[in-house]
Amino acid sequence: TAFVPTAVPWSPEHQIQRLQVTRKVLETEEQAAFPVGGAAPRYLYLASNHSNKWGHPRGYRIQIVSFSGEPLPQNSSMEGALSWERYQLAVTQRKEEESKSTSIYNLNDPWTPTLNFTDFINNETIAGQDLVAWVTAGFLHIPHAEDIPNTVTVANGVGFFLRPYNFFDQDPSSNSADSIYFREDQDAGACEVNPLACLPETAACAPDLPAFSHGGFFHN
């Protein structure tokens, strides 16, 4: 998005700043690599060559939720083993030999890493190619008193969403059934008749742990 100076129709001697959506196609891997803490497009999506009925390119938007801390300084001798953390998002060509952003062997010798993620970003074109989106999401948590006896998940959630963006012609959830219908002669407790009848069995996956105490705190 960008602010565009626009003359006020009823007062031409004055200007207003109108927010305008701009579109830019990223052609290379360098252009599609966004450092942690740096600026990134408000809307970033992978578009196809096909359009929906409204004429918009069908695609998927990548929406990141992350509160990660500062990455390791690039002048560190160990940074090459963790170079994936430089980027909040990087899009590269899909290659069989680039299946992972790091290696378990980097832990053994981080000063001479077996795999350095930055080698994947070498100015190759991404237009019209099969692509991989490498997303880094995390948060820096400094323990505090309210973490006892457990750390809350509210405001601590991180991750990313892969959202349809002009992929459909309308909201597909409008076609989802919002009710369950069964006849009088059917067993409402049967899963094949009423899928919700099986929910307690499939959702009861939390273990039943006995009460315990630790450090003077009792947990049941």
Coordinates of all heavy atoms in Angstrom, one line a residue, residues 78-85 97-110 112-120 134 136:
M78 N 29.2 -18.7 14.0 CA 28.2 -19.7 14.1 C 27.0 -19.4 13.2 O 26.1 -20.3 13.1 CB 27.8 -20.0 15.5 CG 28.9 -20.5 16.4 SD 28.3 -20.6 18.2 CE 26.9 -21.6 18.0
E79 N 26.9 -18.2 12.7 CA 25.7 -17.7 12.1 C 25.3 -18.6 10.9 O 24.1 -18.8 10.6 CB 25.8 -16.3 11.7 CG 24.5 -15.6 11.4 CD 24.0 -15.7 10.0 OE1 24.8 -16.0 9.1 OE2 22.8 -15.5 9.8
G80 N 26.3 -19.1 10.1 CA 25.9 -19.9 9.0 C 25.1 -21.1 9.2 O 24.3 -21.5 8.4
A81 N 25.3 -21.7 10.4 CA 24.5 -22.9 10.8 C 23.0 -22.5 11.1 O 22.2 -23.4 11.1 CB 25.1 -23.6 12.0
L82 N 22.8 -21.2 11.4 CA 21.4 -20.8 11.7 C 20.9 -19.7 10.8 O 20.1 -18.9 11.2 CB 21.4 -20.2 13.2 CG 21.9 -21.2 14.3 CD1 22.1 -20.5 15.6 CD2 20.9 -22.3 14.5
S83 N 21.4 -19.7 9.6 CA 21.1 -18.6 8.7 C 19.7 -18.5 8.3 O 19.2 -17.5 7.8 CB 22.0 -18.6 7.4 OG 21.8 -19.9 6.7
W84 N 18.9 -19.6 8.5 CA 17.5 -19.6 8.2 C 16.8 -18.5 9.0 O 15.7 -18.0 8.6 CB 16.9 -20.9 8.4 CG 17.2 -21.5 9.7 CD1 18.2 -22.4 10.0 CD2 16.5 -21.3 11.0 NE1 18.2 -22.7 11.4 CE2 17.1 -22.1 12.0 CE3 15.3 -20.5 11.3 CZ2 16.7 -22.0 13.3 CZ3 14.9 -20.6 12.6 CH2 15.6 -21.3 13.6
E85 N 17.3 -18.3 10.2 CA 16.6 -17.3 11.1 C 16.7 -15.9 10.7 O 16.1 -15.0 11.3 CB 17.1 -17.5 12.6 CG 18.5 -17.1 12.8 CD 18.8 -17.0 14.3 OE1 18.0 -17.4 15.1 OE2 20.0 -16.7 14.6
E97 N 17.0 -31.2 -3.9 CA 18.2 -31.2 -3.1 C 18.1 -30.0 -2.0 O 19.0 -29.8 -1.2 CB 19.5 -30.9 -3.9 CG 19.6 -29.7 -4.7 CD 18.9 -29.8 -6.1 OE1 18.1 -30.7 -6.3 OE2 19.2 -28.9 -7.0
E98 N 17.0 -29.3 -2.0 CA 16.8 -28.2 -1.1 C 15.5 -28.6 -0.3 O 14.5 -27.8 -0.3 CB 16.7 -26.9 -1.7 CG 18.0 -26.5 -2.4 CD 17.9 -25.1 -3.1 OE1 16.8 -24.5 -3.1 OE2 18.9 -24.6 -3.6
S99 N 15.5 -29.7 0.4 CA 14.3 -30.2 1.1 C 14.2 -29.7 2.5 O 13.1 -29.7 3.1 CB 14.3 -31.7 1.1 OG 15.4 -32.2 1.7
K100 N 15.3 -29.2 3.1 CA 15.3 -28.8 4.5 C 16.1 -27.5 4.6 O 17.1 -27.2 3.9 CB 15.9 -29.8 5.4 CG 15.1 -31.1 5.4 CD 15.8 -32.2 6.4 CE 15.0 -33.5 6.4 NZ 14.9 -34.1 5.1
S101 N 15.7 -26.7 5.6 CA 16.4 -25.4 5.8 C 17.7 -25.5 6.7 O 18.4 -24.6 6.8 CB 15.5 -24.4 6.4 OG 15.0 -24.8 7.7
T102 N 17.8 -26.7 7.3 CA 19.0 -26.9 8.1 C 19.3 -28.4 8.2 O 18.7 -29.2 7.5 CB 18.8 -26.4 9.6 OG1 20.0 -26.5 10.3 CG2 17.7 -27.2 10.3
S103 N 20.3 -28.8 8.9 CA 20.8 -30.2 9.0 C 21.0 -30.5 10.5 O 21.5 -29.6 11.3 CB 22.0 -30.4 8.2 OG 22.6 -31.7 8.5
I104 N 20.7 -31.7 10.9 CA 21.0 -32.1 12.2 C 22.5 -32.1 12.5 O 22.9 -32.0 13.7 CB 20.5 -33.5 12.5 CG1 21.1 -34.6 11.6 CG2 19.0 -33.6 12.4 CD1 20.7 -36.0 11.9
Y105 N 23.3 -32.2 11.5 CA 24.8 -32.1 11.7 C 25.3 -30.7 11.9 O 26.5 -30.6 12.4 CB 25.5 -32.7 10.5 CG 25.1 -34.2 10.2 CD1 24.2 -34.5 9.1 CD2 25.4 -35.2 11.1 CE1 23.8 -35.8 8.9 CE2 25.0 -36.5 10.8 CZ 24.2 -36.8 9.8 OH 23.8 -38.1 9.5
N106 N 24.5 -29.7 11.7 CA 24.9 -28.3 12.0 C 25.2 -28.2 13.5 O 26.0 -27.3 13.9 CB 23.9 -27.3 11.5 CG 23.9 -27.1 10.0 OD1 24.6 -27.8 9.3 ND2 23.1 -26.2 9.5
L107 N 24.5 -29.0 14.3 CA 24.6 -28.9 15.7 C 26.0 -29.3 16.2 O 26.6 -28.8 17.1 CB 23.6 -29.7 16.4 CG 23.6 -29.7 18.0 CD1 23.3 -28.3 18.5 CD2 22.5 -30.7 18.5
N108 N 26.5 -30.3 15.5 CA 27.8 -30.9 15.8 C 29.0 -29.9 15.5 O 30.0 -29.9 16.2 CB 28.1 -32.2 15.1 CG 27.0 -33.2 15.5 OD1 26.5 -33.2 16.6 ND2 26.7 -34.1 14.6
D109 N 28.9 -29.2 14.4 CA 29.9 -28.3 13.9 C 29.3 -27.1 13.3 O 29.2 -26.9 12.1 CB 30.8 -29.0 12.9 CG 32.0 -28.2 12.5 OD1 32.2 -27.1 13.2 OD2 32.8 -28.6 11.7
P110 N 28.8 -26.2 14.2 CA 28.1 -25.0 13.6 C 29.1 -24.0 13.0 O 28.6 -23.1 12.3 CB 27.5 -24.3 14.9 CG 28.3 -24.8 16.0 CD 28.8 -26.2 15.6
T112 N 31.4 -24.9 10.8 CA 31.5 -25.3 9.4 C 30.2 -26.1 9.1 O 30.2 -27.3 9.0 CB 32.7 -26.2 9.2 OG1 33.9 -25.6 9.8 CG2 33.0 -26.5 7.7
P113 N 29.1 -25.4 8.8 CA 27.8 -26.1 8.7 C 27.7 -26.9 7.5 O 28.2 -26.6 6.4 CB 26.8 -24.9 8.7 CG 27.6 -23.8 8.2 CD 29.0 -23.9 8.7
T114 N 27.1 -28.1 7.7 CA 26.8 -29.0 6.5 C 25.8 -28.3 5.6 O 26.0 -28.5 4.3 CB 26.2 -30.3 7.0 OG1 27.1 -30.9 8.0 CG2 26.0 -31.3 5.9
L115 N 24.9 -27.5 6.1 CA 23.9 -26.9 5.2 C 23.8 -25.4 5.7 O 23.6 -25.2 6.8 CB 22.6 -27.6 5.3 CG 21.5 -27.3 4.3 CD1 20.5 -28.4 4.2 CD2 20.7 -26.0 4.7
N116 N 23.9 -24.5 4.7 CA 23.7 -23.1 5.0 C 22.5 -22.6 4.1 O 22.6 -22.7 2.9 CB 25.0 -22.3 4.6 CG 24.9 -20.9 5.0 OD1 23.9 -20.3 5.0 ND2 26.1 -20.3 5.4
F117 N 21.5 -22.2 4.8 CA 20.2 -21.9 4.1 C 20.4 -20.8 3.1 O 19.7 -20.7 2.1 CB 19.1 -21.5 5.1 CG 17.9 -21.1 4.5 CD1 17.0 -22.0 3.9 CD2 17.5 -19.7 4.5 CE1 15.8 -21.6 3.3 CE2 16.3 -19.4 3.9 CZ 15.5 -20.3 3.3
T118 N 21.3 -19.8 3.3 CA 21.5 -18.7 2.4 C 21.9 -19.2 1.0 O 21.8 -18.4 0.1 CB 22.4 -17.7 3.0 OG1 23.7 -18.3 3.3 CG2 21.9 -17.1 4.3
D119 N 22.5 -20.4 0.9 CA 22.9 -20.9 -0.4 C 21.7 -21.1 -1.3 O 21.8 -21.2 -2.5 CB 23.7 -22.2 -0.2 CG 25.0 -22.0 0.5 OD1 25.5 -20.8 0.5 OD2 25.6 -22.9 1.0
F120 N 20.5 -21.3 -0.7 CA 19.3 -21.5 -1.5 C 18.9 -20.2 -2.2 O 18.2 -20.3 -3.3 CB 18.1 -21.9 -0.6 CG 18.3 -23.2 0.1 CD1 19.4 -24.0 0.0 CD2 17.3 -23.7 0.9 CE1 19.6 -25.2 0.6 CE2 17.4 -25.0 1.5 CZ 18.5 -25.7 1.4
W134 N 9.5 -20.5 2.8 CA 10.2 -20.9 4.1 C 9.7 -19.8 5.1 O 10.1 -18.6 5.0 CB 11.7 -20.9 3.9 CG 12.2 -21.7 2.8 CD1 12.4 -21.4 1.5 CD2 12.6 -23.1 2.9 NE1 12.8 -22.4 0.8 CE2 13.0 -23.5 1.6 CE3 12.6 -24.0 3.9 CZ2 13.4 -24.8 1.3 CZ3 13.1 -25.3 3.7 CH2 13.5 -25.7 2.4
T136 N 9.5 -18.4 9.0 CA 10.1 -18.5 10.4 C 9.1 -17.8 11.4 O 8.8 -16.6 11.2 CB 11.5 -17.8 10.5 OG1 12.4 -18.4 9.5 CG2 12.1 -17.9 11.9

